[in-house]
Coordinates of all heavy atoms in Angstrom, one line a residue:
Chain B
I212 N 109.7 116.4 103.1 CA 111.1 116.3 103.3 C 111.4 116.7 104.7 O 110.9 117.7 105.2 CB 111.9 117.2 102.4 CG1 111.5 117.0 100.9 CG2 113.4 117.1 102.6 CD1 112.0 115.7 100.3
V213 N 112.2 115.9 105.4 CA 112.7 116.4 106.7 C 114.2 116.6 106.6 O 114.9 115.6 106.2 CB 112.3 115.3 107.8 CG1 113.2 115.6 109.1 CG2 110.9 115.4 108.1
E214 N 114.6 117.8 106.9 CA 116.1 118.1 106.8 C 116.9 117.8 108.0 O 118.1 117.7 107.9 CB 116.2 119.6 106.4 CG 115.6 119.9 105.0 CD 116.2 121.2 104.4 OE1 116.8 122.0 105.2 OE2 116.1 121.3 103.2
T215 N 116.3 117.8 109.1 CA 117.1 117.5 110.4 C 117.4 116.0 110.5 O 116.8 115.2 109.9 CB 116.3 118.1 111.6 OG1 115.0 117.5 111.6 CG2 116.3 119.6 111.6
R216 N 118.3 115.8 111.4 CA 118.7 114.4 111.6 C 118.6 114.0 113.1 O 118.2 114.8 113.9 CB 120.2 114.2 111.3 CG 120.5 114.4 109.8 CD 121.9 114.0 109.5 NE 122.2 114.1 108.1 CZ 123.3 113.6 107.6 NH1 124.3 113.1 108.3 NH2 123.5 113.7 106.3
G217 N 119.0 112.7 113.4 CA 119.1 112.3 114.8 C 117.7 112.4 115.5 O 116.7 112.3 114.9
K218 N 117.8 112.7 116.8 CA 116.6 112.8 117.6 C 115.7 113.8 117.1 O 114.4 113.6 117.1 CB 117.0 113.2 119.1 CG 117.5 112.0 119.9 CD 117.7 112.4 121.3 CE 118.4 111.3 122.1 NZ 118.6 111.6 123.5
E219 N 116.2 114.9 116.7 CA 115.4 116.0 116.2 C 114.6 115.6 114.9 O 113.4 115.9 114.8 CB 116.3 117.3 116.0 CG 115.5 118.5 115.8 CD 116.5 119.7 115.4 OE1 117.8 119.5 115.5 OE2 116.0 120.7 115.0
G220 N 115.4 115.0 114.0 CA 114.8 114.6 112.8 C 113.7 113.5 113.0 O 112.6 113.6 112.4
A221 N 114.0 112.6 113.9 CA 113.0 111.5 114.2 C 111.8 112.2 114.8 O 110.6 111.7 114.5 CB 113.6 110.5 115.1
A222 N 111.9 113.1 115.7 CA 110.8 113.8 116.3 C 110.0 114.5 115.2 O 108.7 114.5 115.3 CB 111.3 114.8 117.3
E223 N 110.6 115.1 114.2 CA 109.9 115.7 113.1 C 109.1 114.7 112.4 O 107.9 115.0 112.0 CB 110.8 116.4 112.2 CG 111.0 117.9 112.5 CD 111.7 118.6 111.4 OE1 111.2 118.7 110.2 OE2 112.9 119.1 111.6
V224 N 109.6 113.5 112.1 CA 108.9 112.5 111.4 C 107.7 112.1 112.2 O 106.6 111.9 111.7 CB 109.9 111.3 111.1 CG1 109.0 110.1 110.6 CG2 110.9 111.7 110.1
R225 N 107.9 111.8 113.5 CA 106.8 111.4 114.4 C 105.7 112.5 114.3 O 104.5 112.1 114.3 CB 107.3 111.2 115.8 CG 108.2 110.0 116.0 CD 108.2 109.5 117.4 NE 108.7 110.6 118.3 CZ 110.0 110.8 118.6 NH1 110.9 110.1 118.0 NH2 110.3 111.8 119.4
E226 N 106.1 113.7 114.3 CA 105.1 114.8 114.3 C 104.2 114.7 113.0 O 103.0 114.9 113.1 CB 105.8 116.2 114.4 CG 105.0 117.2 115.1 CD 104.3 116.7 116.3 OE1 105.0 116.1 117.2 OE2 103.1 116.8 116.3
I227 N 104.9 114.5 111.9 CA 104.2 114.3 110.7 C 103.2 113.2 110.7 O 102.1 113.3 110.2 CB 105.2 114.1 109.5 CG1 106.0 115.4 109.2 CG2 104.5 113.7 108.2 CD1 107.2 115.2 108.3
F228 N 103.6 112.1 111.4 CA 102.7 110.9 111.5 C 101.9 110.9 112.8 O 102.2 110.0 113.6 CB 103.5 109.7 111.2 CG 104.0 109.6 109.8 CD1 105.4 109.5 109.6 CD2 103.2 109.6 108.7 CE1 105.9 109.5 108.3 CE2 103.7 109.5 107.4 CZ 105.0 109.5 107.2
D229 N 101.1 111.9 113.0 CA 100.2 111.9 114.2 C 100.9 111.8 115.5 O 100.3 111.3 116.5 CB 99.2 110.7 114.1 CG 98.3 110.8 112.8 OD1 98.0 111.9 112.4 OD2 98.0 109.7 112.2
G230 N 102.1 112.1 115.5 CA 102.8 112.1 116.8 C 103.3 110.7 117.2 O 104.0 110.6 118.2

Side-chain angles (χ1 to χ4, degrees):
Chain B
I212 305 287
V213 165
E214 294 202 339
T215 51
R216 291 188 178 188
K218 280 187 187 179
E219 195 187 348
E223 267 193 64
V224 170
R225 290 199 302 274
E226 211 42 57
I227 290 169
F228 294 119
D229 301 326

